[in-house]
Amino acid sequence: MSNGIIKVDEVITTQAESEIKVGGIDSKYDVYMLQVSGITTVSGATIGLTRVTTNGTAQTGTNYDLAGLGLRTDQAYTHLTNLNYTEWGYLGAWSHQGSNSSFRGNFTAYLFNFNNANQYSMITAKSISRWANGTLAPITTGVYKVAEINDGISYTLQSDIQTGARISLYGLTNS
Amino acid sequence: MATLEEFKVEATQEVEEAKPMYVASSDGRREFTDDEYDFKIDDIANDKFWQQENGYKTARQEAYGDLASQLDMIYWDGVNSTTTWADHIAQVKADNPKPS
């Protein structure tokens, strides 16, 4: 019996990027964990856009549902409800962050059923980011409503992802 | 009110100005393919359209303030026979009109 988490793939940005992809999801593990850290942007209103990939290509159809709760320090929580969107939003970055290096966003997510051709892929995530008015901490769940094998994750922002972001994919070993 | 197609034209211009755009993976760094540029244009255009159609909801939600503050307003309106809360809500709605 072996236990632990095994790194499957990782990308660390060394310059501005418009998209980061990690892959390698297969039948080896039942559940995968995604760790994204150091998310910041150049400027502009920003929401993190997370998509599944098939054969390494981000899937952009209107098949993404998301339900969550946006915990925040500046006011009461916000309900997050997206139906038939082209991505899962709100992860790692929720609102304007700008180039303030102290505002970097982070999230950890668990990925379920990605390698199952007969079930929808699912994600649960806890996220933390910062904007000018306070802290934003969405707790989200998402479903990609296509029964197909997905082999990875694509992450983009509405502006570029800056140097120092890290996206890592781990397999949770079966025992 | 702009159409989605009009936003796509605007988004296309923005992407053209931002080129080249890159995707990073553990295989290295490469420029977007034509399909990925098209996806990016759709992303931007869809967001602009959503903001136009629904942005007022988010703006109102932000401007209403937290529930405790609103309840406090309602309480003092009852005590003082004022309309502070209703005036506040009306002002927020006026400042963030629903698109017609």
Side-chain angles (χ1 to χ4, degrees), chain A residues 14-93:
Chain A
T14 56
Q15 52 197 312
E17 307 289 0
S18 295
E19 180 182 3
I20 306 177
K21 289 179 183 175
V22 289
I25 292 175
D26 58 21
S27 60
K28 193 171 183 181
Y29 305 109
D30 292 332
V31 180
Y32 286 78
M33 182 174 75
L34 183 71
Q35 175 68 52
V36 180
S37 59
I39 296 300
T40 192
T41 65
V42 178
S43 63
T46 297
I47 291 177
L49 309 177
T50 306
R51 295 185 170 100
V52 303
T53 64
T54 301
N55 296 323
T57 299
Q59 301 302 294
T60 57
T62 55
N63 297 307
Y64 294 84
D65 285 0
L66 177 140
L69 199 58
L71 304 179
R72 52 197 302 172
T73 56
D74 59 327
Q75 61 170 269
Y77 62 82
T78 303
H79 281 121
L80 305 172
T81 309
N82 293 349
L83 185 65
N84 299 327
Y85 273 46
T86 57
E87 71 285 322
W88 293 315
Y90 301 109
L91 303 180

Side-chain angles (χ1 to χ4, degrees), chain A:
Chain A
M1 183 175 74
S2 62
N3 292 301
I5 57 174
I6 305 298
K7 187 182 290 181
V8 175
D9 197 9
E10 181 175 74
V11 176
I12 302 171
T13 59
T14 56
Q15 52 197 312
E17 307 289 0
S18 295
E19 180 182 3
I20 306 177
K21 289 179 183 175
V22 289
I25 292 175
D26 58 21
S27 60
K28 193 171 183 181
Y29 305 109
D30 292 332
V31 180
Y32 286 78
M33 182 174 75
L34 183 71
Q35 175 68 52
V36 180
S37 59
I39 296 300
T40 192
T41 65
V42 178
S43 63
T46 297
I47 291 177
L49 309 177
T50 306
R51 295 185 170 100
V52 303
T53 64
T54 301
N55 296 323
T57 299
Q59 301 302 294
T60 57
T62 55
N63 297 307
Y64 294 84
D65 285 0
L66 177 140
L69 199 58
L71 304 179
R72 52 197 302 172
T73 56
D74 59 327
Q75 61 170 269
Y77 62 82
T78 303
H79 281 121
L80 305 172
T81 309
N82 293 349
L83 185 65
N84 299 327
Y85 273 46
T86 57
E87 71 285 322
W88 293 315
Y90 301 109
L91 303 180
W94 179 359
S95 189
H96 177 78
Q97 291 179 283
S99 56
N100 188 327
S101 60
S102 298
F103 283 14
R104 287 174 178 265
N106 308 278
F107 73 90
T108 299
Y110 293 96
L111 313 178
F112 303 91
N113 300 334
F114 271 53
N115 191 57
N116 191 325
N118 301 311
Q119 293 188 30
Y120 294 169
S121 295
M122 298 179 175
I123 186 171
T124 63
K126 288 185 177 178
S127 180
I128 178 76
S129 63
R130 181 86 184 164
W131 71 319
N133 291 356
T135 297
L136 303 169
I139 299 171
T140 51
T141 61
V143 176
Y144 177 66
K145 298 181 294 184
V146 178
E148 65 178 18
I149 289 176
N150 302 123
D151 57 3
I153 286 288
S154 157
Y155 187 77
T156 64
L157 297 174
Q158 289 159 339
S159 58
D160 286 346
I161 301 163
Q162 296 301 291
T163 300
R166 177 194 298 262
I167 178 168
S168 309
L169 182 67
Y170 299 90
L172 303 187
T173 58
N174 301 317
S175 58

